[in-house]
Each structure stands twice: as structure tokens, then as C-alpha cells.
């Protein structure tokens, strides 16, 4: 980049010494400043808005609420943390929430793999375009409408019951099964898209080479394709896992009497007006997500979201 | 690897089945928007166009759509700028704390919405002492939308390499000129795709919105939440959902065309 100084000896007209050009030359000579220019605005935004907010939430978890006035008292206490760690309610709900989130993630990955593979490697380019649109379109039907649609699909006088009755089946009704079904449905496009993008980047030549060297279809899938798209799979799983972990509306709509961690946080912020306890409960999903991110960091998944 | 005709057709059948399940609830919503029953019961007792007429005259619904559109546009623009800047910084420079910064970009979407929601609610009201308004929602949405722009742009930058930019610099172009005439045109479709996802994310976000919107701010998801269980309003909500899905074909189709055109150019 420093080669720009060369034309002085030639007949090339000297560059106009405008302010922009001087600034530009200055920036090209100082890469650190260039970096600083690029990174300062986003870093300030994320730092001020998000890091400070999260840190404040963390601090709030160590405060308490005066039971008479409802005011937050800013004296340090471990009460909330102890309550959350030892209360059987919190343990039960945590296990239930993590179970639901894991199940949703596994279901979504299992559904996403074949359809993403078909989109990326089997369908022609025209078909591919149609399929991407078909997968993306439901994203625009509001989350709430889709959850509500499942409520009606799963209800006793809903379409599922109507379809299954002739075969002697019946709808699972509202409960954890309905929650898992609905959440899997809601996050499916977020899992399909990264896996599809990952598969698209796998060169066909590589798969053909494996075939030429005698690899059977399954061997190729297992030993060539899967390792290459593993980061994309993990990236998709971060979406389904995290979105399920914090959900409280779907479980309200189709979950029957069951609660998830999100519901506990929500009621403590709203109805119970106990922000410190809510913040302490919020530490559970935060810890779980950080654990999950640390676990998958080495796969390179974070570059594939 | 050559797929046998059989495995191709099996994959095709699975794909069709998955799509059928994806469109089953949407189909139910579609049919219900014409149903005379207000409780989403199946099969519908009769059909009517009443809800479609009412939906287009519902001032509350139209206001909510307008609010959501404005909000999503501003949040998308902010996230486009910030997302592009940070992806250029992370892709073109090696520096201390780079991993931490990339984690920081992902965090607002990796952490569940309710945490982002109460953290920002607490931040705005208790720490800054500013009243909640449409602007607090914009800030919140832009924060978690940065990541979709970031991902699309950084993936493109990685594939592009720096050859063209180096050539442009060698030919005497300054960094602004290079960005305007070389880098930006190559990023355009990635920006479009990232912006589209950011827009969709903001338009449909309910949890973070609940915690950061002032009482006078009714976005479309908040409107839907308030009206979903009201007998007279529920079918109108169905109509809105159907319209949104139909309208969304246009931007998704354009994004696909741009991406397809670029692929054949290469």
C-alpha cells in the first residue's frame, strides 16, 4: 500500500491534495488508526449498551428487595444466589428447560440435515431458489401467530385430532410435548439456513473424489461431509438451544401448566417486582450458554452463525 | 460420491414431508382467516371475507405495522453500519482481544432474549434514568441485529481476499475510493442478505421489545400479543399473518436473485 508514493518521478499528475486524500494517505500509513476507526463505533455501542447492561444485571443479582416498600436495597447479599441454587423449584425448572432445549436442538438438527442436503446438493439451481424461499417464508409469519397456530393444530378440536382419529391416534394436547414440537417448529429455519450454507461450501469435487476412491455414500457422508459441516451444525444448534432456553411465551401458549426458566424470570420482574431475584435466576441460562459457547468454541462454530 | 436414484428420491420425499409440516400450521392460519369460527376450531364451520375487510380498516393493526416498519428500518440501518465496520476490523486486522470482540458481537443473540430484555430494561431505567420509548427499542434491536450483518459480511470478506483492494491501492486509489468503488460493490449482496435478516429479526422480535418499549409504543408483535386471545380480534391477527407471509416473498425473491446472479458471474 505504501507503493502509492512512487508516481512522483513520472508525468502522472500529482494527486490533488484534498482533505479527503490527505486523510486517506494518513490512514493508509497507520494501520492501527485504521483499525481504531473501524472498531471504535461498534465497540462503544456494544460496550456501553450491552456489557454495562449485563454487568449491572449481574450486580443486581446480589441486591435485595425490601419486602415492605418494594424498593431495591443496594446492600450486598448472597441470598438470591443461594435461593436459586438450592431451591427445588429452580432445580426442577432448570432441568426441564435444559431438557426441552436439548431435545428441540436434536430434533431440529435431525430435520435440518436431510432437507439442507437436498437443497444444497440434489436440487437444481432453480429448485434450490424455490426451496430457500419456502424455508425462509415462515420466518415472516410472526412468532406469536405460529405458536398460536400450533395451539389450534394441537387442540382437542384441532386439525391434528381430525387427521389422526381415523388411524386411532390422538393429539398430544398441551404440555411439554407440545412445547417441544412448537419450539422445534419455530427455530427450524434458523437451523436449516446455516447447515445449508455450510453444505453449499463443501466442494462437489471432494465428494466425487471420495466416491472415486471407493467411498460408499454413507462413508463419504460420515468421513467427508460431516466433519466439514460440523461447525455449521453447531452454529445452528446455538440458535435453537439459546432461543429455547429463554422462551416463556410458547410454553404459556401450548405448555399447559409447565414453566421454563424464562417464565420464572418474567414473573419475578413483572408480577413479583423482584428484579434482584429475576437477575439471579437469569444467571442460570447465562452460565449454561457460556458453558455451551466455551464447549463449542474450538469447532469454529462461532464464525458460522 | 454419487447418489443413487433411490436415495435421491428418498431425500426428495423427506424434503416434501418436512415442507408439508412447515406449511401445515401456516395453512391452518390461512384458512382460519376466512373462517366464520373465531376460536380456530377445525374443520371451519363456514367461510367469510369479513375479517379481511376488518383487518384493513383496523387502525390499531395498521399503526402497529407502521411502528414496526419504522423501527425495523432504523435498527437495520444502524446494524448495517456497525456490522460492516466491525467485520472489516475483525477480518482485516490481527489484534489483541479479537476473540473477545467477536464473542461480544454474538452475545446479544446467543443469550436468551429475556436476559437481553431485562438487562436493557434495567440499564435504561435504573442506570441511565431515561424513560422507555421507541428509541430504547431501536437501540435494543440494533444491538442484536448487528450479528446477522456481521456474519454475512465477514463470510463475504473471507471469500474475497484482499487482491482487488491491493490492486486498487497500487493504482493510486485512496482508502475511501477503494472502499466506495471496489469493496462496497463486492459486499452489496452480503449487505442485502444481512440487512434482510436483521429486518426480519427486528420486525418479529417480541421478548426484548416487551421489556424495552414504552407504554405508548405498540409494535406489531405487541399488538398481536394483546389481541391474539380476544375473540373478535383473533381472526384479524390471522389475516395480518397471512399478508406478512405473502408480502415477504418479494424481498426474499430479490435477495435470491442477487445471490444467484453473483454466483453465475463468478
Amino acid at each position: 500500500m505504501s507503493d502509492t508514493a512512487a508516481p512522483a518521478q513520472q508525468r502522472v499528475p500529482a494527486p490533488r491534495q484534498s482533505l479527503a486524500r490527505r486523510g486517506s494517505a494518513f490512514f493508509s500509513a497507520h494501520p492501527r488508526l485504521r483499525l481504531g476507526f473501524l472498531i471504535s463505533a461498534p465497540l462503544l455501542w456494544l460496550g456501553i449498551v450491552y456489557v454495562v447492561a449485563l454487568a449491572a444485571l449481574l450486580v443486581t443479582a446480589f441486591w435485595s428487595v425490601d419486602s415492605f416498600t418494594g424498593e431495591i436495597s443496594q446492600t450486598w447479599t448472597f441470598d438470591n444466589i443461594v435461593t436459586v441454587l438450592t431451591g427445588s423449584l429452580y432445580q426442577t425448572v432448570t432441568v426441564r428447560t435444559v431438557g426441552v432445549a436439548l431435545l428441540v436442538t436434536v430434533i431440529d438438527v435431525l430435520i435440518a440435515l436431510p432437507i439442507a442436503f437436498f437443497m444444497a446438493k440434489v436440487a437444481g439451481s432453480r429448485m434450490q431458489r424455490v426451496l430457500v424461499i419456502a424455508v425462509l417464508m415462515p420466518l415472516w409469519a410472526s412468532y406469536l401467530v405460529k405458536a398460536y397456530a400450533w395451539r389450534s393444530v394441537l387442540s382437542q378440536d384441532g386439525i391434528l385430532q381430525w387427521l389422526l382419529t381415523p388411524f386411532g391416534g390422538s393429539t398430544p394436547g398441551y404440555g411439554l410435548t407440545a412445547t417441544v414440537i412448537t419450539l422445534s417448529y419455530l427455530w427450524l429455519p434458523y437451523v436449516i439456513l446455516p447447515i445449508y450454507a455450510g453444505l453449499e461450501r463443501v466442494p462437489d469435487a471432494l465428494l466425487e473424489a471420495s466416491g472415486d476412491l471407493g467411498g460408499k455414500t454413507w462413508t463419504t457422508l460420515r468421513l467427508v461431509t460431516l466433519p466439514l459441516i460440523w461447525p455449521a451444525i453447531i452454529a445452528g444448534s446455538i440458535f435453537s438451544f439459546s432461543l429455547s432456553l429463554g422462551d416463556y411465551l410458547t410454553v404459556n401458549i401450548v405448555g399447559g401448566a409447565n414453566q421454563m426458566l424464562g417464565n420464572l424470570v418474567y414473573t419475578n420482574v413483572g408480577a413479583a417486582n423482584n428484579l434482584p431475584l429475576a437477575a439471579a435466576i437469569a444467571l442460570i441460562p447465562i452460565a449454561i450458554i457460556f458453558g455451551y459457547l466455551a464447549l463449542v468454541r474450538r469447532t469454529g462454530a462461532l464464525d458460522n452463525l | 460420491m454419487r447418489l443413487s436414484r433411490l436415495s435421491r428420491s428418498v431425500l426428495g420425499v423427506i424434503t416434501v414431508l418436512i415442507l408439508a409440516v412447515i406449511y401445515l400450521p401456516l395453512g391452518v392460519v390461512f384458512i382460519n382467516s376466512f373462517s366464520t369460527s373465531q376460536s380456530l376450531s377445525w374443520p371451519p364451520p363456514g367461510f367469510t371475507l369479513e375479517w379481511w375487510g376488518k383487518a384493513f380498516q383496523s387502525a390499531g393493526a395498521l399503526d402497529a405495522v407502521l411502528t414496526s416498519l419504522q423501527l425495523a428500518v432504523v435498527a437495520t440501518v444502524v446494524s448495517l453500519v456497525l456490522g460492516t465496520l466491525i467485520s472489516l476490523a475483525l477480518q482485516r486486522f490481527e489484534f489483541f482481544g479479537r476473540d473477545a470482540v467477536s464473542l461480544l458481537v454474538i452475545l446479544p443473540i446467543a443469550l436468551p432474549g429475556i436476559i437481553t430484555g431485562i438487562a436493557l430494561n434495567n440499564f435504561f431505567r435504573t442506570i441511565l434514568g431515561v424513560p422507555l420509548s421507541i428509541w430504547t427499542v431501536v437501540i435494543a434491536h440494533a444491538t442484536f441485529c448487528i450479528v446477522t450483518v456481521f456474519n454475512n459480511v465477514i463470510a463475504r470478506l473471507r471469500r474475497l481476499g484482499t487482491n482487488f483492494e491491493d490492486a486498487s491501492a497500487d493504482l493510486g486509489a485512496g482508502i475511501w475510493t477503494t472502499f466506495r468503488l471496489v469493496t462496497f460493490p463486492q459486499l452489496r449482496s452480503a449487505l442485502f442478505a444481512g440487512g434482510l435478516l436483521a429486518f426480519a429479526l427486528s420486525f418479529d422480535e417480541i421478548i426484548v421489545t416487551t421489556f424495552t418499549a414504552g407504554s405508548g409504543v405498540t409494535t406489531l408483535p405487541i399488538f398481536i400479543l394483546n389481541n391474539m386471545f380476544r375473540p373478535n380480534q383473533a381472526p384479524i391477527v390471522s389475516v395480518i399473518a397471512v399478508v406478512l407471509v405473502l408480502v415477504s416473498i418479494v424481498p426474499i425473491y430479490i435477495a435470491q436473485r442477487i445471490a444467484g446472479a453473483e454466483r453465475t458471474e463468478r
Side-chain angles (χ1 to χ4, degrees):
Chain A
M1 288 213 186
S2 51
D3 301 9
T4 38
Q9 61 209 317
Q10 300 288 328
R11 267 157 284 155
V12 178
R16 278 173 293 123
Q17 283 301 317
S18 67
L19 189 67
R21 180 157 284 277
R22 257 182 288 154
S24 163
F26 185 70
F27 265 124
S28 359
H30 300 83
R32 289 277 124 185
L33 277 179
R34 216 152 67 224
L35 172 63
F37 164 77
L38 289 171
I39 209 167
S40 52
L43 215 53
L44 273 177
W45 182 288
L46 287 168
I48 292 178
V49 174
Y50 206 64
V51 176
V52 172
L54 270 186
L57 190 69
L58 200 71
V59 172
T60 312
F62 293 93
W63 290 343
S64 60
V65 164
D66 188 308
S67 48
F68 286 111
T69 59
E71 294 283 316
I72 290 175
S73 94
Q74 303 186 351
T75 41
W76 285 76
T77 163
F78 281 93
D79 287 357
N80 291 318
I81 309 287
V82 172
T83 309
V84 166
L85 285 180
T86 56
S88 63
L89 168 70
Y90 302 102
Q91 288 166 359
T92 316
V93 175
T94 302
V95 170
R96 180 188 297 144
T97 309
V98 173
V100 167
L102 282 177
L103 203 56
V104 167
T105 303
V106 170
I107 291 173
D108 273 349
V109 170
L110 287 181
I111 298 177
L113 281 173
I115 190 172
F117 191 85
F118 184 84
M119 286 161 69
K121 295 292 170 200
V122 181
S125 65
R126 200 185 165 78
M127 186 61 166
Q128 197 173 30
R129 204 175 294 170
V130 172
L131 285 172
V132 173
I133 293 176
V135 168
L136 277 174
M137 249 168 51
L139 275 182
W140 296 80
S142 156
Y143 157 102
L144 288 163
V145 170
K146 283 181 284 186
Y148 192 60
W150 273 103
R151 186 183 165 88
S152 89
V153 167
L154 294 165
S155 82
Q156 293 302 331
D157 54 358
I159 189 170
L160 198 63
Q161 181 75 23
W162 182 76
L163 284 172
L164 290 177
T165 306
F167 305 100
S170 71
T171 167
Y174 305 143
L176 279 186
T177 314
T179 309
V180 171
I181 293 175
T182 308
L183 289 176
S184 308
Y185 178 81
L186 287 169
W187 315 141
L188 187 59
Y190 296 99
V191 184
I192 295 179
L193 283 178
I195 296 183
Y196 162 72
L199 276 166
E200 264 223 302
R201 284 198 296 268
V202 175
D204 289 337
L206 225 52
L207 304 182
E208 275 159 26
S210 165
D212 289 347
L213 293 167
K216 297 252 175 12
T217 307
W218 275 114
T219 319
T220 306
L221 284 178
R222 196 163 51 86
L223 297 178
V224 181
T225 316
L226 196 62
L228 285 172
I229 62 166
W230 188 243
I233 295 176
I234 298 292
S237 79
I238 294 175
F239 275 114
S240 57
F241 187 71
S242 147
L243 289 166
S244 307
L245 212 55
D247 187 86
Y248 64 90
L249 283 164
T250 292
V251 75
N252 273 350
I253 296 172
V254 298
N258 293 290
Q259 284 194 315
M260 305 237 290
L261 282 172
N263 302 83
L264 295 184
V265 176
Y266 183 76
T267 42
N268 275 299
V269 175
N273 195 23
N274 191 340
L275 185 63
L277 185 58
I281 302 169
L283 293 183
I284 303 175
I286 294 179
I288 295 173
I289 287 287
F290 269 102
Y292 193 69
L293 290 180
L295 205 68
V296 301
R297 206 171 63 99
R298 295 196 176 280
T299 64
L302 305 187
D303 302 329
N304 275 273
L305 277 176
Chain B
M1 182 187 69
R2 276 160 207 94
L3 287 172
S4 66
R5 185 182 273 274
L6 178 69
S7 42
R8 280 172 175 265
S9 8
V10 169
L11 272 172
V13 170
I14 294 176
T15 302
V16 170
L17 280 178
I18 294 171
L19 284 175
V21 177
I22 289 179
Y23 279 89
L24 171 82
L26 294 181
V28 169
V29 173
F30 180 77
I31 291 171
N32 266 302
S33 70
F34 298 104
S35 168
T36 45
S37 156
Q38 298 178 355
S39 64
L40 294 180
S41 67
W42 192 268
F47 294 100
T48 170
L49 280 174
E50 186 190 350
W51 312 118
W52 280 76
K54 281 197 175 155
F56 285 100
Q57 284 160 14
S58 161
L62 296 178
D63 273 355
V65 171
L66 202 65
T67 309
S68 278
L69 279 177
Q70 292 168 331
L71 167 66
V73 166
V74 182
T76 303
V77 170
V78 174
S79 64
L80 276 173
V81 174
L82 295 178
T84 309
L85 287 173
I86 201 158
S87 40
L88 281 167
L90 288 184
Q91 218 281 316
R92 296 290 158 80
F93 295 90
E94 283 286 341
F95 57 91
F96 176 75
R98 193 159 156 267
D99 285 351
V101 175
S102 69
L103 180 68
L104 187 57
V105 180
I106 301 169
L107 215 52
I109 199 97
L111 287 181
I114 185 150
I115 291 164
T116 307
I118 59 169
L120 289 177
N121 178 288
N122 185 36
F123 172 69
F124 289 130
R125 292 194 320 161
T126 330
I127 303 182
L128 294 185
V130 292
L132 298 179
S133 67
I134 184 107
W135 294 107
T136 50
V137 192
V138 166
I139 291 171
H141 281 204
T143 304
F144 65 72
C145 284
I146 294 174
V147 68
T148 69
V149 177
F150 169 78
N151 284 321
N152 277 278
V153 173
I154 204 163
R156 176 65 51 85
L157 286 173
R158 241 182 247 137
R159 241 186 313 153
L160 287 178
T162 55
N163 286 351
F164 284 117
E165 288 170 28
D166 291 346
S168 162
D170 287 349
L171 291 168
I175 51 173
W176 313 118
T177 317
T178 301
F179 181 79
R180 194 166 52 87
L181 297 178
V182 179
T183 316
F184 180 73
Q186 289 179 302
L187 290 182
R188 210 153 33 195
S189 71
L191 287 170
F192 193 87
L196 193 66
L197 274 175
F199 188 92
L201 215 57
S202 162
F203 198 79
D204 193 26
E205 162 58 52
I206 171 78
I207 296 179
V208 176
T209 315
T210 308
F211 285 101
T212 50
S215 54
V217 179
T218 309
T219 65
L220 188 59
I222 292 184
F223 175 85
I224 292 175
L225 186 63
N226 292 341
N227 289 285
M228 213 164 50
F229 291 104
R230 285 201 206 151
N232 262 318
Q233 296 290 323
I236 294 180
V237 167
S238 299
V239 175
I240 299 170
V242 173
V243 172
L244 286 182
V245 172
L246 294 178
V247 169
S248 73
I249 297 175
V250 179
I252 299 175
Y253 181 75
I254 297 174
Q256 283 290 298
R257 282 298 292 268
I258 296 178
E262 283 189 353
R263 211 169 295 144
T264 45
E265 267 170 33
R266 222 165 274 144

